[in-house]
Amino acid sequence: MSAILSTAEVLEMADAGIAESIRRGLSDCSPAERKVARVLLAAYPSAGFETVARLADRAGVSGPTVLRFVQRLGYRGFPDFQEALRRDLDERSASPLRIHQTRVLAEEPSGSLHSRAAAISTATLQRTFDELSTHDLDRCVELISGASGSVVIAGGRYSGLLGRILALHLEQLRPRVRMLPDEPSARAAMMADLGRRDVLVLFDYRRYEEHTLRLARVARAQHTSVVLFTDAWLSPISSEADVVLTSETAAPSPFDALTPVMALIETVVAGCFDRLGDAAVGRMAQADQLAGELGLY
């Protein structure tokens, strides 16, 4: 079944994105190399296009440390790293039309829709869970289920739909779960209320949306915890987030896959249900009783 995957699709699933590779490799770096990694992630991708000397100066390390770091990532040298950054930047901003055109150029083999969709979707979902950080998943569950204030959820044009699905599940398990409203004054008022006891959950995927990044920055300034759902190329919000959950994007259509994100949402909901225990069960029972009394079903 996997033989029908195109070259472009295989590469898309194999390449986690440079920013995500840097983030995953932090634990294997020396303290000096971690300084380089943090500078790159904090200003990704622009920091990677600076000279070795400038990047070293910003990180407070030597030039050879920068070179050792990019070699640890698997590049022959800094020019090789920067060329990979340019390709990565192209992928981060790829539109559905461009993804389609790339696949056409790759001359993908023919195959039935059933076989092609099964192969791509299965591989994408498997890779998402293979690369999922247990630490980040546990921390996400801890923040959402343990917040003594509100859990506020927001996303972009399409990713906001994913946020709404998460909110519809979480509001059955715990109080004070809210979608950030679209109306400007209501949105500003809700953001103004955020503080240390609250959690802001954001969804942001390639062709990242500036207004979502601004939400994260406001939340950080107000000492609110930030949870980010994003893709393997990493939204700019990743440098502002306490927790980053990434998913792969390869799909049988020109549009990025939503199935892996849905699987992550379901996993987080399951974790919150387990963590909240009797409190979640009691809330669900109370909601069912009230729904019956109100004649809702």
Side-chain angles (χ1 to χ4, degrees):
M1 184 177 292
S2 60
I4 66 171
L5 288 174
S6 71
T7 301
E9 288 161 342
V10 171
L11 288 174
E12 184 174 7
M13 286 186 287
D15 186 0
I18 294 175
E20 175 67 354
S21 296
I22 292 172
R23 192 178 71 86
R24 291 174 186 165
L26 278 171
S27 60
D28 297 325
C29 294
S30 68
E33 289 169 347
R34 279 196 289 273
K35 292 180 180 179
V36 179
R38 292 191 181 104
V39 168
L40 286 169
L41 290 175
Y44 188 86
S46 59
F49 292 112
E50 296 178 343
T51 64
V52 170
R54 173 61 180 154
L55 182 55
D57 183 62
R58 289 185 60 181
V61 300
S62 66
T65 297
V66 172
L67 296 177
R68 283 195 300 271
F69 175 73
V70 298
Q71 288 167 356
R72 181 185 291 278
L73 291 175
Y75 301 101
R76 293 187 299 272
F78 206 66
D80 189 34
F81 171 70
Q82 290 185 321
E83 179 57 32
L85 268 181
R86 293 184 184 93
R87 293 193 299 269
D88 191 69
L89 187 57
D90 286 343
E91 291 291 339
R92 282 164 59 90
S93 59
S95 67
L97 177 60
R98 183 169 168 271
I99 292 170
H100 167 69
Q101 291 168 338
T102 300
R103 290 175 177 174
V104 170
L105 290 173
E107 298 180 354
E108 66 179 53
S110 61
S112 71
L113 174 61
H114 177 276
S115 298
R116 181 159 47 90
I120 296 170
S121 300
T122 301
T124 304
L125 186 60
Q126 184 63 57
R127 182 169 172 80
T128 293
F129 278 94
D130 286 346
E131 302 294 344
L132 179 62
S133 164
T134 300
H135 175 270
D136 280 355
L137 175 61
D138 290 346
R139 180 63 175 150
C140 174
V141 169
E142 177 186 351
L143 286 173
I144 291 175
S145 59
S148 57
S150 297
V151 176
V152 176
I153 303 171
R157 180 183 175 190
Y158 285 103
S159 58
L161 298 174
L162 297 165
R164 189 166 296 281
I165 291 170
L166 176 62
L168 287 170
H169 285 80
L170 289 179
E171 67 185 11
Q172 298 182 61
L173 306 182
R174 57 151 295 154
R176 295 181 296 280
V177 175
R178 299 177 175 87
M179 282 296 297
L180 193 67
D182 293 327
E183 198 280 319
S185 62
R187 173 170 283 227
M190 189 175 290
M191 288 298 296
D193 288 339
L194 292 181
R196 295 179 184 273
R197 300 186 307 119
D198 307 307
V199 176
L200 178 65
V201 181
L202 297 174
F203 290 77
D204 195 34
Y205 297 85
R206 63 178 169 181
R207 296 212 289 177
Y208 311 105
E209 301 183 47
E210 177 65 26
H211 70 89
T212 312
L213 174 59
R214 291 175 183 172
L215 293 175
R217 288 174 173 165
V218 168
R220 296 303 295 171
Q222 296 172 189
H223 307 288
T224 300
S225 298
V226 176
V227 171
L228 172 66
F229 287 78
T230 188
D231 51 39
W233 290 276
L234 290 188
S235 159
I237 296 170
S238 60
S239 61
E240 307 286 345
D242 297 275
V243 174
V244 179
L245 297 181
T246 63
S247 56
E248 297 298 314
T249 58
S253 76
F255 303 96
D256 284 348
L258 298 182
T259 305
V261 190
M262 285 298 305
L264 289 183
I265 290 172
E266 291 170 350
T267 303
V268 168
V269 169
C272 290
F273 178 80
D274 290 344
R275 184 177 177 86
L276 290 166
D278 291 342
V281 173
R283 180 175 176 83
M284 292 169 68
Q286 182 183 28
D288 278 353
Q289 179 180 345
L290 288 174
E293 293 174 3
L294 294 171
L296 299 179
Y297 56 78

